[in-house]
Structure formats: C-alpha cells, structure tokens
Amino acid sequence: MESQAENGYRTRAVRTEDWRQLKALRLESLRDPLSRIAFGSTYEREVAFGDEVWRGRAARAGGFVALDGDGAWVGTVTVLLEPGEAWLVGMYVRPAQRGSGVAERLVRAGADWAWERPDVSRVRLWVTEVNDRAYALYRRLGFVATGATEPHEPVPGLLAHELALSRP
C-alpha cells in the first residue's frame, strides 16, 4: 500500500529489505530530545538489538514510512493488532518535516490499514500529557480521550493518556 505524493511526501508499508533504514530512523528517533516524553524505550536499550531484531521488525506487517521526494525516510509509525483493536506506536517525524503534514499522513496510513481488518473497531494510542503538539494532532484527526492514564516509565511523574479513534 503506497499513497500518492502530497506536499512532496508519500507513505508506504515498510518492507523486509528496509530493515537498515528502519533501524537508523528508530535509533535517530530515540536520540531526539522529545523521545523521553514520546517513547517507552531508550536509545541505550535498542542500539544493543541485533540485526535479527531489526529484520523481524521490518518483516512484521503494520509498519509504515513517510518518504520525501528523494526517497529519504522522514517518518514512521507502527500498528500493532490485538483482537478487535489496533495500537499506533513508535510515531516519529524528523524535526525538519514536523508541521508538514507527514505525521497526519502516517496516522491515516496506519488507521486505514487497521480498518481493512473487519474485526478492528478502534485504533488506540498513548500520548504524554506534555506532548501538546501530538495531542492536538490526534484530537484533530478524531481521537478522543478514553480516560485511561498510566505512568510514562522513562520519565518519573509523567502520565500518558490513552486516546482512541472509533471505526468510521
């Protein structure tokens, strides 16, 4: 599944042979200053993963990448399926592309992929209480707070809020 280019960007599913690019962008995302408030993992943890872990991640269905006009990876998101629902995780857009519509394209690609499964009734995600930009994006796309919260492990005292999007 590949989208048409819009504003110079397109999205497509991650392929098995993309594992090196996936690894590079994920490790970059974990070095981003916002990663402590956005991700439940750390650079130190994931840089130690062997190539087989990265190959497995790339081979797993549900990964999406945004590419610029030159084919460079500028963002990614992963969709994990559970019975009856899907989770958006690992959302990342490079700083230079933030505000360009890339994040919205990735969320839509992931949600559209989830809606192709008839048993999926909603798409969920976690967003930290201080990630205002991400929270605003998700709300604009129709996600609503479920009321569920949980501690955000990488930052003591920080809460993550669950948002959900119901099947259209």
Side-chain angles (χ1 to χ4, degrees), residues 66-147:
L67 303 105
D68 68 13
D70 296 325
W73 285 38
V74 298
T76 187
V77 69
T78 299
V79 184
L80 303 176
L81 295 175
E82 290 185 354
E85 59 193 17
W87 286 91
L88 293 182
V89 299
M91 176 77 161
Y92 177 70
V93 174
R94 284 189 161 148
Q97 283 75 30
R98 293 178 186 157
S100 69
V102 168
E104 180 174 339
R105 291 178 64 85
L106 287 166
V107 171
R108 290 188 188 282
D112 288 348
W113 182 81
W115 300 142
E116 291 174 4
R117 282 115 195 101
D119 68 314
V120 172
S121 63
R122 67 183 183 161
V123 174
R124 301 188 315 170
L125 58 85
W126 292 99
V127 63
T128 59
E129 59 193 349
V130 295
N131 197 345
D132 295 333
R133 190 175 193 158
Y135 192 84
L137 166 72
Y138 300 135
R139 294 290 301 215
R140 187 169 47 79
L141 294 176
F143 285 81
V144 295
T146 67

Coordinates of all heavy atoms in Angstrom, one line a residue, residues 66-147:
A66 N 7.1 7.4 5.9 CA 6.9 8.5 5.0 C 8.2 8.8 4.4 O 9.3 8.8 5.0 CB 6.4 9.7 5.9
L67 N 8.2 9.1 3.1 CA 9.4 9.4 2.3 C 9.2 10.8 1.6 O 8.1 11.2 1.2 CB 9.6 8.3 1.2 CG 9.7 6.9 1.7 CD1 8.4 6.2 1.4 CD2 10.9 6.2 1.1
D68 N 10.4 11.5 1.5 CA 10.3 12.7 0.8 C 10.5 12.5 -0.7 O 10.5 11.3 -1.1 CB 11.4 13.7 1.3 CG 12.8 13.3 1.0 OD1 13.1 12.4 0.2 OD2 13.7 13.9 1.6
G69 N 10.5 13.5 -1.5 CA 10.6 13.4 -2.9 C 11.8 12.6 -3.4 O 11.9 12.1 -4.5
D70 N 12.9 12.6 -2.6 CA 14.1 11.9 -3.0 C 14.2 10.5 -2.5 O 15.1 9.8 -2.7 CB 15.3 12.7 -2.4 CG 15.5 14.0 -3.1 OD1 15.2 14.2 -4.3 OD2 15.9 15.0 -2.4
G71 N 13.1 10.1 -1.8 CA 13.0 8.7 -1.2 C 13.6 8.6 0.2 O 13.7 7.5 0.7
A72 N 14.1 9.7 0.8 CA 14.6 9.6 2.1 C 13.5 9.4 3.1 O 12.4 10.0 3.0 CB 15.4 10.9 2.4
W73 N 13.8 8.6 4.1 CA 12.8 8.3 5.2 C 12.7 9.5 6.1 O 13.8 10.0 6.6 CB 13.3 7.1 6.0 CG 13.1 5.8 5.3 CD1 13.2 5.5 4.0 CD2 12.7 4.6 5.9 NE1 12.9 4.2 3.7 CE2 12.6 3.6 4.9 CE3 12.4 4.2 7.2 CZ2 12.2 2.3 5.2 CZ3 12.0 2.9 7.5 CH2 11.9 2.0 6.5
V74 N 11.5 10.0 6.3 CA 11.3 11.2 7.1 C 10.4 11.0 8.3 O 10.2 11.8 9.2 CB 10.9 12.4 6.3 CG1 11.9 12.8 5.3 CG2 9.5 12.2 5.7
G75 N 9.8 9.8 8.4 CA 8.9 9.5 9.5 C 8.4 8.1 9.4 O 8.5 7.4 8.4
T76 N 7.9 7.6 10.6 CA 7.5 6.2 10.7 C 6.4 6.0 11.8 O 6.4 6.8 12.7 CB 8.7 5.3 10.9 OG1 8.3 3.9 10.8 CG2 9.3 5.5 12.2
V77 N 5.6 5.0 11.6 CA 4.7 4.6 12.7 C 4.5 3.1 12.5 O 4.6 2.6 11.4 CB 3.3 5.4 12.6 CG1 2.5 5.0 11.3 CG2 2.5 5.2 13.8
T78 N 4.1 2.5 13.6 CA 3.9 1.0 13.6 C 2.4 0.8 14.1 O 2.0 1.5 15.1 CB 4.9 0.3 14.4 OG1 6.2 0.5 13.9 CG2 4.6 -1.2 14.5
V79 N 1.7 -0.1 13.5 CA 0.4 -0.5 14.0 C 0.5 -1.9 14.5 O 0.9 -2.8 13.8 CB -0.6 -0.4 12.9 CG1 -2.0 -0.7 13.4 CG2 -0.6 0.9 12.2
L80 N 0.1 -2.1 15.8 CA 0.1 -3.4 16.4 C -1.4 -3.9 16.5 O -2.2 -3.1 17.0 CB 0.7 -3.4 17.8 CG 2.2 -2.9 17.8 CD1 2.7 -2.9 19.3 CD2 3.1 -3.8 17.0
L81 N -1.7 -5.1 16.1 CA -3.0 -5.6 16.2 C -3.3 -6.4 17.4 O -2.4 -7.2 17.8 CB -3.4 -6.4 14.9 CG -3.4 -5.7 13.6 CD1 -3.5 -6.7 12.5 CD2 -4.4 -4.6 13.6
E82 N -4.4 -6.2 18.0 CA -4.9 -7.1 19.1 C -6.3 -7.4 18.7 O -6.9 -6.8 17.9 CB -4.9 -6.3 20.4 CG -3.5 -6.0 21.0 CD -3.6 -5.4 22.4 OE1 -4.7 -5.0 22.8 OE2 -2.5 -5.2 22.9
P83 N -6.9 -8.4 19.3 CA -8.3 -8.8 19.0 C -9.2 -7.6 19.1 O -9.3 -7.0 20.2 CB -8.7 -9.9 20.0 CG -7.3 -10.5 20.3 CD -6.4 -9.4 20.3
G84 N -9.8 -7.2 18.0 CA -10.8 -6.1 18.0 C -10.3 -4.7 17.9 O -11.1 -3.8 17.8
E85 N -9.0 -4.5 18.0 CA -8.4 -3.2 18.0 C -7.0 -3.1 17.5 O -6.4 -4.2 17.4 CB -8.5 -2.5 19.4 CG -7.8 -3.3 20.5 CD -8.2 -2.8 21.9 OE1 -9.3 -2.1 22.0 OE2 -7.5 -3.1 22.8
A86 N -6.5 -1.9 17.3 CA -5.2 -1.7 16.8 C -4.5 -0.6 17.7 O -5.3 0.3 18.2 CB -5.2 -1.3 15.4
W87 N -3.2 -0.6 17.8 CA -2.5 0.4 18.5 C -1.5 1.0 17.6 O -0.7 0.4 16.9 CB -1.7 -0.3 19.6 CG -2.5 -0.7 20.8 CD1 -3.1 -2.0 21.0 CD2 -2.8 0.1 21.9 NE1 -3.8 -2.0 22.2 CE2 -3.6 -0.8 22.8 CE3 -2.5 1.4 22.3 CZ2 -4.1 -0.3 24.0 CZ3 -3.0 1.8 23.5 CH2 -3.8 1.0 24.3
L88 N -1.4 2.4 17.6 CA -0.4 3.1 16.9 C 0.7 3.3 17.9 O 0.5 3.9 19.0 CB -0.9 4.5 16.4 CG -2.0 4.5 15.3 CD1 -2.3 5.9 15.0 CD2 -1.5 3.7 14.1
V89 N 1.9 2.9 17.5 CA 3.1 3.0 18.4 C 4.3 3.5 17.6 O 4.3 3.4 16.4 CB 3.4 1.7 19.1 CG1 2.3 1.2 20.0 CG2 3.8 0.6 18.1
G90 N 5.3 4.0 18.3 CA 6.6 4.4 17.7 C 6.5 5.5 16.6 O 7.3 5.6 15.7
M91 N 5.5 6.4 16.8 CA 5.3 7.5 15.8 C 6.5 8.5 15.9 O 6.9 8.9 17.0 CB 4.0 8.2 16.2 CG 3.8 9.4 15.3 SD 3.2 8.9 13.7 CE 2.5 10.4 13.2
Y92 N 7.1 8.7 14.7 CA 8.2 9.7 14.7 C 8.3 10.4 13.4 O 8.1 9.8 12.3 CB 9.6 8.9 14.9 CG 10.8 9.9 14.8 CD1 11.0 10.8 15.8 CD2 11.6 9.8 13.7 CE1 12.1 11.7 15.7 CE2 12.7 10.6 13.6 CZ 13.0 11.6 14.6 OH 14.1 12.4 14.5
V93 N 8.5 11.7 13.4 CA 8.7 12.5 12.2 C 10.0 13.3 12.5 O 10.1 13.9 13.6 CB 7.5 13.4 12.0 CG1 7.8 14.4 10.8 CG2 6.3 12.6 11.7
R94 N 10.9 13.3 11.5 CA 12.1 14.1 11.7 C 11.8 15.6 11.9 O 10.8 16.1 11.4 CB 13.0 14.0 10.4 CG 13.7 12.7 10.4 CD 14.7 12.7 9.2 NE 15.6 11.6 9.5 CZ 16.2 10.9 8.5 NH1 16.0 11.2 7.2 NH2 17.1 10.0 8.8
P95 N 12.6 16.3 12.7 CA 12.3 17.7 13.1 C 12.1 18.6 11.9 O 11.2 19.4 11.9 CB 13.5 18.1 13.9 CG 14.0 16.8 14.5 CD 13.8 15.8 13.5
A96 N 12.8 18.4 10.8 CA 12.7 19.3 9.6 C 11.3 19.1 8.9 O 10.9 20.0 8.2 CB 13.8 19.0 8.6
Q97 N 10.6 18.0 9.1 CA 9.4 17.7 8.5 C 8.2 17.9 9.4 O 7.0 17.8 9.0 CB 9.3 16.3 7.9 CG 10.1 16.1 6.6 CD 11.6 16.1 6.8 OE1 12.1 15.7 7.8 NE2 12.3 16.6 5.8
R98 N 8.4 18.2 10.7 CA 7.3 18.5 11.6 C 6.5 19.7 11.1 O 7.0 20.7 10.7 CB 7.8 18.6 13.0 CG 8.4 17.3 13.5 CD 9.0 17.4 14.9 NE 9.7 16.1 15.2 CZ 10.6 16.0 16.1 NH1 11.0 17.0 16.8 NH2 11.2 14.8 16.3
G99 N 5.2 19.5 11.2 CA 4.3 20.6 10.7 C 4.0 20.6 9.2 O 3.3 21.4 8.7
S100 N 4.6 19.6 8.5 CA 4.4 19.5 7.1 C 3.3 18.6 6.6 O 3.0 18.5 5.4 CB 5.7 18.9 6.5 OG 5.9 17.6 6.8
G101 N 2.6 17.9 7.5 CA 1.5 17.0 7.2 C 2.0 15.6 7.2 O 1.2 14.7 7.0
V102 N 3.3 15.3 7.4 CA 3.8 13.9 7.4 C 3.2 13.1 8.5 O 2.8 12.0 8.3 CB 5.3 13.9 7.5 CG1 5.9 12.5 7.8 CG2 6.0 14.4 6.2
A103 N 3.1 13.7 9.7 CA 2.5 12.9 10.8 C 1.1 12.5 10.5 O 0.7 11.4 10.8 CB 2.6 13.7 12.1
E104 N 0.3 13.4 10.0 CA -1.1 13.1 9.7 C -1.2 12.0 8.6 O -2.0 11.1 8.7 CB -1.8 14.4 9.1 CG -3.3 14.1 8.8 CD -4.0 15.3 8.4 OE1 -3.6 16.5 8.7 OE2 -5.1 15.2 7.7
R105 N -0.3 12.1 7.6 CA -0.3 11.0 6.6 C 0.0 9.7 7.2 O -0.5 8.6 6.8 CB 0.7 11.4 5.5 CG 0.3 12.6 4.7 CD 1.4 12.9 3.6 NE 1.6 11.8 2.7 CZ 0.8 11.6 1.6 NH1 -0.2 12.5 1.3 NH2 1.1 10.6 0.7
L106 N 1.0 9.6 8.2 CA 1.4 8.4 8.8 C 0.2 7.8 9.6 O -0.1 6.6 9.6 CB 2.6 8.6 9.7 CG 3.9 8.7 8.9 CD1 5.0 9.2 9.8 CD2 4.3 7.3 8.3
V107 N -0.4 8.7 10.4 CA -1.6 8.2 11.2 C -2.7 7.7 10.3 O -3.3 6.6 10.6 CB -2.1 9.4 12.1 CG1 -3.4 9.0 12.8 CG2 -1.1 9.8 13.2
R108 N -3.0 8.4 9.3 CA -4.0 7.9 8.3 C -3.7 6.6 7.7 O -4.5 5.7 7.5 CB -4.3 9.0 7.3 CG -5.0 10.2 7.9 CD -5.5 11.2 6.8 NE -6.0 12.4 7.3 CZ -7.2 12.6 7.8 NH1 -8.0 11.6 7.9 NH2 -7.5 13.8 8.3
A109 N -2.4 6.5 7.3 CA -1.9 5.2 6.7 C -2.1 4.0 7.7 O -2.6 3.0 7.3 CB -0.5 5.3 6.2
G110 N -1.7 4.3 8.9 CA -1.9 3.2 9.9 C -3.3 2.9 10.2 O -3.7 1.7 10.3
A111 N -4.1 3.9 10.4 CA -5.6 3.7 10.7 C -6.2 3.0 9.5 O -7.0 2.1 9.7 CB -6.2 5.0 11.1
D112 N -6.0 3.5 8.3 CA -6.6 2.9 7.1 C -6.2 1.4 7.0 O -7.1 0.6 6.7 CB -6.2 3.6 5.8 CG -6.8 5.0 5.7 OD1 -7.7 5.3 6.4 OD2 -6.3 5.7 4.8
W113 N -5.0 1.1 7.3 CA -4.5 -0.3 7.3 C -5.3 -1.1 8.4 O -5.8 -2.3 8.1 CB -3.0 -0.4 7.5 CG -2.5 -1.8 7.5 CD1 -2.1 -2.5 6.4 CD2 -2.2 -2.6 8.6 NE1 -1.6 -3.8 6.8 CE2 -1.6 -3.8 8.1 CE3 -2.3 -2.5 10.0 CZ2 -1.2 -4.9 9.0 CZ3 -1.8 -3.5 10.8 CH2 -1.3 -4.7 10.3
A114 N -5.5 -0.6 9.5 CA -6.2 -1.2 10.6 C -7.7 -1.4 10.2 O -8.3 -2.5 10.4 CB -6.2 -0.4 11.9
W115 N -8.3 -0.5 9.5 CA -9.7 -0.6 9.1 C -9.9 -1.6 8.1 O -11.1 -2.1 7.9 CB -10.3 0.8 8.6 CG -10.2 1.9 9.6 CD1 -9.9 3.2 9.3 CD2 -10.5 1.9 11.0 NE1 -10.0 4.0 10.5 CE2 -10.3 3.2 11.5 CE3 -10.8 0.9 11.9 CZ2 -10.5 3.5 12.8 CZ3 -11.0 1.2 13.3 CH2 -10.9 2.5 13.7
E116 N -8.9 -2.1 7.4 CA -9.0 -3.2 6.4 C -9.3 -4.5 7.1 O -9.8 -5.4 6.5 CB -7.7 -3.3 5.6 CG -7.5 -2.2 4.6 CD -6.1 -2.3 4.0 OE1 -5.4 -3.3 4.1 OE2 -5.8 -1.3 3.2
R117 N -9.1 -4.6 8.4 CA -9.5 -5.8 9.2 C -10.8 -5.6 9.8 O -11.1 -4.7 10.6 CB -8.4 -6.0 10.3 CG -7.2 -6.6 9.8 CD -6.0 -5.6 9.9 NE -4.9 -6.1 9.1 CZ -4.6 -5.5 7.9 NH1 -5.3 -4.6 7.4 NH2 -3.6 -6.0 7.2
P118 N -11.8 -6.4 9.4 CA -13.2 -6.2 9.8 C -13.4 -6.3 11.3 O -14.4 -5.7 11.8 CB -14.0 -7.3 9.1 CG -13.0 -8.0 8.2 CD -11.7 -7.5 8.5
D119 N -12.6 -7.0 12.0 CA -12.8 -7.1 13.5 C -12.2 -5.9 14.2 O -12.5 -5.8 15.4 CB -12.1 -8.4 14.0 CG -10.6 -8.3 13.9 OD1 -10.1 -7.9 12.9 OD2 -9.9 -8.7 14.9
V120 N -11.5 -5.0 13.6 CA -10.9 -3.8 14.3 C -12.0 -2.8 14.5 O -12.5 -2.3 13.5 CB -9.7 -3.3 13.6 CG1 -9.2 -2.0 14.3 CG2 -8.5 -4.3 13.6
S121 N -12.4 -2.5 15.7 CA -13.4 -1.5 16.0 C -12.9 -0.1 16.4 O -13.6 0.9 16.3 CB -14.4 -2.0 17.0 OG -13.7 -2.2 18.3
R122 N -11.6 -0.1 16.8 CA -11.0 1.2 17.2 C -9.5 1.1 17.1 O -8.9 0.0 17.2 CB -11.5 1.6 18.6 CG -11.0 0.8 19.7 CD -11.6 1.3 21.0 NE -11.0 0.6 22.1 CZ -11.1 0.9 23.4 NH1 -11.6 2.1 23.7 NH2 -10.6 0.2 24.3
V123 N -8.9 2.3 17.0 CA -7.4 2.4 17.0 C -7.1 3.2 18.2 O -7.7 4.3 18.4 CB -6.9 3.1 15.7 CG1 -5.5 3.4 15.7 CG2 -7.3 2.3 14.5
R124 N -6.1 2.8 19.0 CA -5.7 3.4 20.2 C -4.3 3.8 20.2 O -3.5 3.3 19.4 CB -6.0 2.5 21.4 CG -7.5 2.1 21.5 CD -7.8 1.4 22.8 NE -6.9 0.3 23.2 CZ -7.0 -0.3 24.4 NH1 -7.9 0.1 25.2 NH2 -6.2 -1.2 24.7
L125 N -3.9 4.7 21.1 CA -2.5 5.2 21.2 C -2.4 5.8 22.6 O -3.4 6.1 23.3 CB -2.1 6.1 20.1 CG -2.9 7.4 19.9 CD1 -2.5 8.5 20.9 CD2 -2.8 7.9 18.5
W126 N -1.1 6.0 23.0 CA -0.8 6.7 24.3 C -0.1 7.9 23.9 O 0.8 7.9 23.0 CB 0.1 5.8 25.2 CG -0.6 4.7 25.8 CD1 -0.5 3.4 25.3 CD2 -1.5 4.6 26.9 NE1 -1.3 2.5 26.1 CE2 -1.9 3.3 27.1 CE3 -2.0 5.6 27.8 CZ2 -2.8 2.9 28.1 CZ3 -2.8 5.2 28.8 CH2 -3.2 3.9 28.9
V127 N -0.4 9.0 24.6 CA 0.3 10.3 24.4 C 0.6 10.9 25.7 O -0.3 10.9 26.6 CB -0.4 11.3 23.4 CG1 -1.8 11.7 24.0 CG2 0.4 12.5 23.0
T128 N 1.8 11.4 25.9 CA 2.1 12.0 27.3 C 1.4 13.4 27.4 O 1.1 14.1 26.4 CB 3.6 12.2 27.5 OG1 4.1 13.0 26.5 CG2 4.3 10.8 27.5
E129 N 1.2 13.7 28.7 CA 0.4 14.9 29.0 C 1.2 16.2 28.6 O 0.5 17.3 28.4 CB 0.1 15.0 30.5 CG 1.3 14.9 31.4 CD 1.0 14.6 32.8 OE1 -0.2 14.7 33.2 OE2 1.9 14.4 33.6
V130 N 2.5 16.1 28.3 CA 3.2 17.3 27.9 C 3.5 17.4 26.4 O 4.2 18.3 26.0 CB 4.5 17.4 28.7 CG1 4.3 17.6 30.2 CG2 5.4 16.2 28.5
N131 N 3.1 16.4 25.7 CA 3.3 16.4 24.2 C 2.1 17.1 23.5 O 1.3 16.4 22.9 CB 3.5 15.0 23.7 CG 4.2 14.9 22.4 OD1 4.2 15.9 21.7 ND2 4.7 13.7 22.0
D132 N 2.0 18.4 23.7 CA 0.9 19.1 23.2 C 0.7 19.0 21.7 O -0.5 18.9 21.3 CB 1.0 20.6 23.7 CG 0.9 20.8 25.2 OD1 0.3 20.0 25.9 OD2 1.5 21.8 25.6
R133 N 1.8 19.1 21.0 CA 1.7 19.0 19.5 C 1.1 17.7 19.1 O 0.2 17.7 18.2 CB 3.0 19.3 18.9 CG 3.0 19.5 17.5 CD 4.4 19.8 17.0 NE 4.4 20.3 15.6 CZ 5.3 21.0 15.1 NH1 6.4 21.4 15.8 NH2 5.2 21.4 13.9
A134 N 1.5 16.6 19.6 CA 1.0 15.3 19.2 C -0.5 15.2 19.7 O -1.3 14.7 18.9 CB 1.8 14.2 19.8
Y135 N -0.7 15.6 20.9 CA -2.1 15.6 21.4 C -3.1 16.3 20.5 O -4.1 15.8 20.1 CB -2.2 16.1 22.8 CG -3.5 15.8 23.5 CD1 -3.7 14.6 24.2 CD2 -4.5 16.7 23.6 CE1 -4.8 14.3 24.8 CE2 -5.7 16.5 24.2 CZ -5.9 15.3 24.8 OH -7.0 15.0 25.5
A136 N -2.7 17.5 20.0 CA -3.5 18.3 19.2 C -3.7 17.6 17.8 O -4.8 17.6 17.3 CB -2.9 19.7 19.0
L137 N -2.7 17.0 17.3 CA -2.8 16.3 16.0 C -3.8 15.2 16.1 O -4.8 15.1 15.3 CB -1.5 15.7 15.6 CG -1.5 14.7 14.5 CD1 -1.9 15.3 13.1 CD2 -0.2 13.9 14.4
Y138 N -3.7 14.4 17.2 CA -4.6 13.2 17.3 C -6.0 13.7 17.5 O -6.9 13.1 17.0 CB -4.1 12.3 18.5 CG -2.7 11.8 18.3 CD1 -1.8 11.7 19.3 CD2 -2.3 11.2 17.0 CE1 -0.5 11.2 19.1 CE2 -1.1 10.7 16.9 CZ -0.2 10.7 17.9 OH 1.1 10.2 17.7
R139 N -6.2 14.7 18.3 CA -7.6 15.2 18.5 C -8.2 15.7 17.2 O -9.3 15.5 16.9 CB -7.6 16.3 19.6 CG -7.2 15.9 21.0 CD -8.2 15.0 21.6 NE -9.5 15.8 21.6 CZ -10.4 15.7 22.6 NH1 -10.2 14.9 23.6 NH2 -11.5 16.4 22.5
R140 N -7.4 16.4 16.4 CA -7.8 17.0 15.1 C -8.2 15.8 14.2 O -9.2 16.0 13.4 CB -6.7 17.8 14.5 CG -7.2 18.5 13.2 CD -6.2 19.6 12.8 NE -4.8 19.2 12.7 CZ -4.2 18.4 11.8 NH1 -5.0 18.0 10.8 NH2 -3.0 18.1 11.8
L141 N -7.6 14.7 14.3 CA -7.9 13.5 13.5 C -9.0 12.7 14.0 O -9.4 11.6 13.4 CB -6.6 12.7 13.3 CG -5.5 13.4 12.5 CD1 -4.3 12.5 12.4 CD2 -6.0 13.7 11.1
G142 N -9.6 13.1 15.1 CA -10.8 12.4 15.6 C -10.6 11.5 16.8 O -11.5 10.9 17.3
F143 N -9.4 11.4 17.3 CA -9.1 10.6 18.5 C -9.7 11.3 19.7 O -9.7 12.6 19.8 CB -7.6 10.4 18.7 CG -7.0 9.4 17.8 CD1 -6.6 9.8 16.5 CD2 -6.7 8.1 18.2 CE1 -6.0 8.9 15.7 CE2 -6.1 7.2 17.4 CZ -5.8 7.6 16.1
V144 N -10.3 10.5 20.7 CA -10.8 11.1 21.9 C -10.2 10.4 23.1 O -9.8 9.2 23.0 CB -12.4 11.0 21.9 CG1 -13.0 11.8 20.8 CG2 -12.8 9.5 21.9
A145 N -10.1 11.1 24.2 CA -9.5 10.6 25.4 C -10.5 9.5 26.0 O -11.7 9.7 26.0 CB -9.3 11.7 26.4
T146 N -9.9 8.4 26.4 CA -10.7 7.3 27.0 C -10.9 7.5 28.5 O -11.7 6.8 29.1 CB -10.1 6.0 26.7 OG1 -8.9 5.8 27.4 CG2 -9.9 5.7 25.2
G147 N -10.0 8.3 29.0 CA -10.0 8.5 30.5 C -8.9 7.6 31.2 O -8.6 7.8 32.3

